[in-house]
Amino acid sequence: MQNSNKTEVKKTKTSKSKVNLQPVRGTRDYLPEKQIFREQAMEKIKRIFEKYGFVPMQTPALEYASVLGKKYGEEEKLIFKFKFGDEELGLKYDQTVPTARVYAANRQTLGAPFKRYVLDRAWRGERPQAGRLREFLQCDIDTLGTYSLAADAELLACANEALAAIGLTNFTWRISTRALAENFLKSCGVADVKLQAAMRAIDKLDKIGEEGVAKELLEKGIGQAAVDTIFSLLKFKGDFDKIRSTIKIDPSVEDALLKFISYLDEFGVKNYTLDLSIIRGLDYYTGPIFEAKAPGFKGTIAAGGRYNHLIELFSGVEIPATGLTIGLDRILEFLKFESKKTKTALYVVGIGKDVIPLVQKFRAEGIPTDLDLMARGLKKNLDFANKRGIPYVAIVGQEELSKGKIKLKEMSTGKEELLSFEQIVAKLRALPQ
Amino acid sequence: MQNSNKTEVKKTKTSKSKVNLQPVRGTRDYLPEKQIFREQAMEKIKRIFEKYGFVPMQTPALEYASVLGKKYGEEEKLIFKFKFGDEELGLKYDQTVPTARVYAANRQTLGAPFKRYVLDRAWRGERPQAGRLREFLQCDIDTLGTYSLAADAELLACANEALAAIGLTNFTWRISTRALAENFLKSCGVADVKLQAAMRAIDKLDKIGEEGVAKELLEKGIGQAAVDTIFSLLKFKGDFDKIRSTIKIDPSVEDALLKFISYLDEFGVKNYTLDLSIIRGLDYYTGPIFEAKAPGFKGTIAAGGRYNHLIELFSGVEIPATGLTIGLDRILEFLKFESKKTKTALYVVGIGKDVIPLVQKFRAEGIPTDLDLMARGLKKNLDFANKRGIPYVAIVGQEELSKGKIKLKEMSTGKEELLSFEQIVAKLRALPQ
């Protein structure tokens, strides 16, 4: 009996210590310093999106599984789907399919062209061992309702500025069009029925390398000669003249590509290069496609393309559209970040004195102010303010206060001054935000 | 054969028209005008939270089901849970349990007291017919690591300012403490083992009314005499002297309540009333509890309380904490909202002229600018800018431009002026944001 009790106690302890304190694999907790940085970045990106005329629109995290099943192709297996009661629900895999649903439902109200942005999370059931995030923040811009390739080019100009605003300038857009990719593969000898399979294989070039792609192409029944031609032409990256001299580019395909490029030039986008290996994984792209890569950055910084047939799945009528996504969480990992630990400017400590009404007075003046809630001694409070990164501490003693003064300590220098309430307010208001 | 083909076509059409364009029941799409208003409200609330010394921290939407199972009590059945591969996952039901997990994992780094805020969604599998949201935005503040009831009072002061910032001032906090509620019920004759059940029943007062609560109390085996006493005392709301003259309040219970109230006074919180019927549904509350209600507002505007034992479930050691949630989405439904449709200040139309480089020049000056992407005529473009709520249209003609001038039309008045690029920039910069 005693023995069994002992085991009982042990079990409880074991189960307590076994509580998993880590976030779900592939997701992250954002502690204050990182979250402040993240929110600053989001704020900067939003301002640029708005400067380009995009307006915010947000859709739920939850969607009906039938909506999420639209047009993702192979990626569908990565959708977090579940049954809840009698409903089949899931978490959105990207912002594009929900946007298509909302636009189809509201296009009379929203009009055309409709330029919207969203900063929201998406969820993908990636294998955690691959180091990929399963919950991540996307910054999306989309222009719906126009065939004009100026809309596509504008997306890149806007993303260039948004990325520059958060400190990322050393990157290049690899551009192509879906038609060019098809034209290229056909010229290399890939049969029409095998185009989709070939594109999916080539899309994995960054992930599995030339050898892996070649293997997959052969497995899909594409002949060795075609595979050899594909890789010899992929080496021409960027050099459109060389590509044209080797394979026959359809005039309409060339026109669309050159039109897109001329718009890029008009919008002042210079950091692009033609790349036949750009395919974009999702099946829904129809026109220009683009991916931004940076030296040392594993994966894609931003990517997108034109998807003229996606909204039709919801609306029943063709509605042209083009969009672009910036994968912010991975970029913020890549950038060296320097962030404030807090926005609090002042920490108030009372020496044997309750300071709450004074703290409220500082706050009423708009000064971000915190106070000692633990009735700790002065040294502990100074250490605390220092650790929190609060730049100033107000030390409030009965004697000074009776003279209308408060001692203000600047934490970075240790300098102390006897100042009035108004003087402290004026000083802290003048601090850089 | 032909017949069967016809059926095939019909089927496709039917299935197309049957696509559900609505968001998941209990969730919402936020179209631009509403989303702009929502983001403005979030921004204002964040600024107030920061003024009170709270720092942002964010946790994932996804949590392990084992984490979500901690301490929700009856509410657990409302959690969206699902199996993905071999993992049991779920969507967070509130911000408090994930916060407890993160603080338990990082308390050496985060220190005490730790004041954090978050504006994030939570998900609950509410029955849609009740009109409750299943995906909604919470604005939370929590102070972790201190027993001081000043921390609890500070939450209400901060929430008062945050709600005032978005235009909500006509509301009252109903306050109580868990100990007072227990003291009250025991004095009414409720046995210790039935306290929890009695509190859950009384917590439903707003939803099911006196009759419903009485029925539930009787069903739980609480005697008619006790039930009668409970309801006669509930009528004393707010009048602490009357309550004290009728039932015996334990001195330590009274001390804690009066301490909380004195802190409310010091923080300048005046809009509160004592209310014995306040229980708060979740099992994890231990100290002061509070709910804000407004006339005409169905449900709770903001609510929270002290939860000194929740973090212990993750950390193994007791860590005191108190927190408060503002349910923003329901408040924004309640407030009459007036919001800009766009932040775009200028719409540029070229008369037989490509205007992209000029648009880029306006944007480079920081003017939120949009352009005609559809090559439409002037009248259609003016209608479009009007519908979008863009205040100014620049009409760019070859002749004017050769003289260094652009025609600027103010949409609200119809007034047109010939101005230089620099004059337009200066004029639009001076606009109120």
Side-chain angles (χ1 to χ4, degrees), chain A residues 200-211:
Chain A
R200 284 203 181 128
I202 293 171
D203 189 42
K204 297 179 189 161
L205 200 55
D206 277 357
K207 283 182 203 158
I208 60 175
E210 256 190 51
E211 210 173 317

Side-chain angles (χ1 to χ4, degrees), chain A residues 75-93:
Chain A
E75 291 71 19
E76 207 184 320
K77 62 177 185 285
L78 296 181
I79 299 174
F80 283 105
K81 271 189 288 202
F82 57 96
K83 213 172 145 72
F84 195 77
D86 58 353
E87 295 170 307
E88 299 272 1
L89 306 176
L91 294 168
K92 59 182 168 185
Y93 174 93

Side-chain angles (χ1 to χ4, degrees), chain A residues 30 39 46 51-52 58 61 87 110 113 115 120-121 134-135 154 266 354 363 370 388, chain B residues 29-30 39 46 51-52 58 61 87 110 113 115 120-121 134-135 154 266 354 363 370 388:
Chain A
Y30 290 93
E39 291 189 6
K46 278 171 66 170
K51 205 171 81 173
Y52 273 74
Q58 199 183 282
E87 295 170 307
L110 297 174
K115 293 168 66 174
D120 199 4
R121 285 179 280 198
R134 303 205 289 178
E135 177 173 333
E154 190 184 34
E266 283 195 70
D354 182 21
R363 287 171 175 167
D370 209 352
R388 280 280 187 272
Chain B
D29 295 323
Y30 291 93
E39 291 189 6
K46 277 172 66 169
K51 205 171 80 173
Y52 273 74
Q58 198 183 285
E87 294 170 307
L110 298 174
K115 292 167 67 174
D120 199 4
R121 286 179 278 198
R134 302 206 291 179
E135 177 172 334
E154 190 183 36
E266 284 195 68
D354 182 22
R363 288 171 175 167
D370 207 353
R388 280 280 187 272

Side-chain angles (χ1 to χ4, degrees), chain A residues 15-222:
Chain A
S15 98
K16 244 184 199 173
S17 65
K18 264 192 177 168
V19 175
N20 191 351
L21 299 181
Q22 295 310 305
V24 169
R25 284 186 298 167
T27 73
R28 283 178 192 162
D29 294 323
Y30 290 93
L31 300 191
E33 202 169 348
K34 196 136 207 178
Q35 183 62 12
I36 288 175
F37 177 61
R38 206 167 169 238
E39 291 189 6
Q40 283 169 343
M42 288 167 73
E43 196 51 42
K44 285 174 188 166
I45 290 172
K46 278 171 66 170
R47 290 293 90 79
I48 302 296
F49 286 176
E50 287 167 359
K51 205 171 81 173
Y52 273 74
F54 294 89
V55 291
M57 184 172 87
Q58 199 183 282
T59 66
L62 290 173
E63 287 283 352
Y64 289 116
S66 57
V67 167
L68 294 174
K70 293 278 171 212
K71 251 317 191 198
Y72 280 125
E74 270 199 346
E75 291 71 19
E76 207 184 320
K77 62 177 185 285
L78 296 181
I79 299 174
F80 283 105
K81 271 189 288 202
F82 57 96
K83 213 172 145 72
F84 195 77
D86 58 353
E87 295 170 307
E88 299 272 1
L89 306 176
L91 294 168
K92 59 182 168 185
Y93 174 93
D94 67 9
Q95 313 302 326
T96 313
V97 166
T99 298
R101 174 185 60 73
V102 177
Y103 192 66
N106 299 281
R107 67 200 171 92
Q108 300 306 332
T109 315
L110 297 174
F114 175 61
K115 293 168 66 174
R116 91 92 171 74
Y117 78 81
V118 66
L119 278 63
D120 199 4
R121 285 179 280 198
W123 292 266
R124 292 181 190 177
E126 303 271 4
R127 282 174 311 145
Q129 58 265 42
R132 292 178 151 239
L133 288 177
R134 303 205 289 178
E135 177 173 333
F136 54 95
L137 194 59
Q138 295 188 313
C139 308
D140 271 44
I141 41 178
D142 291 85
T143 300
L144 314 176
T146 175
Y147 289 95
S148 168
L149 298 180
D152 306 67
E154 190 184 34
L155 298 177
L156 277 69
C158 180
N160 270 354
E161 272 201 61
L163 289 163
I166 58 169
L168 196 64
T169 49
N170 182 25
F171 61 90
T172 305
W173 295 98
R174 309 200 310 203
I175 64 165
S176 184
T177 69
R178 264 284 164 125
L180 183 64
E182 284 185 16
N183 194 152
F184 155 64
L185 289 172
K186 280 187 201 172
S187 302
C188 291
V190 176
D192 279 18
V193 291
K194 289 184 177 160
L195 278 177
Q196 204 71 355
M199 287 201 269
R200 284 203 181 128
I202 293 171
D203 189 42
K204 297 179 189 161
L205 200 55
D206 277 357
K207 283 182 203 158
I208 60 175
E210 256 190 51
E211 210 173 317
V213 173
K215 191 164 161 267
E216 198 170 317
L217 288 170
L218 292 168
E219 277 168 13
K220 302 277 177 187
I222 291 153

Side-chain angles (χ1 to χ4, degrees), chain A residues 59-65 82-91 123, chain B residues 20 22-30 38 61 75 77-81 90-95 120-138 329-330 333:
Chain A
T59 66
L62 290 173
E63 287 283 352
Y64 289 116
F82 57 96
K83 213 172 145 72
F84 195 77
D86 58 353
E87 295 170 307
E88 299 272 1
L89 306 176
L91 294 168
W123 292 266
Chain B
N20 190 350
Q22 294 311 304
V24 169
R25 285 187 296 166
T27 73
R28 284 180 192 161
D29 295 323
Y30 291 93
R38 206 169 171 236
E75 291 70 20
K77 62 175 184 284
L78 295 182
I79 299 174
F80 282 105
K81 273 190 289 203
L91 294 169
K92 60 181 167 185
Y93 173 93
D94 67 10
Q95 313 301 326
D120 199 4
R121 286 179 278 198
W123 292 265
R124 292 181 191 175
E126 305 270 3
R127 281 173 313 146
Q129 57 264 46
R132 292 176 151 241
L133 288 175
R134 302 206 291 179
E135 177 172 334
F136 55 94
L137 194 59
Q138 296 188 311
D329 281 328
R330 300 193 68 179
E333 287 296 305

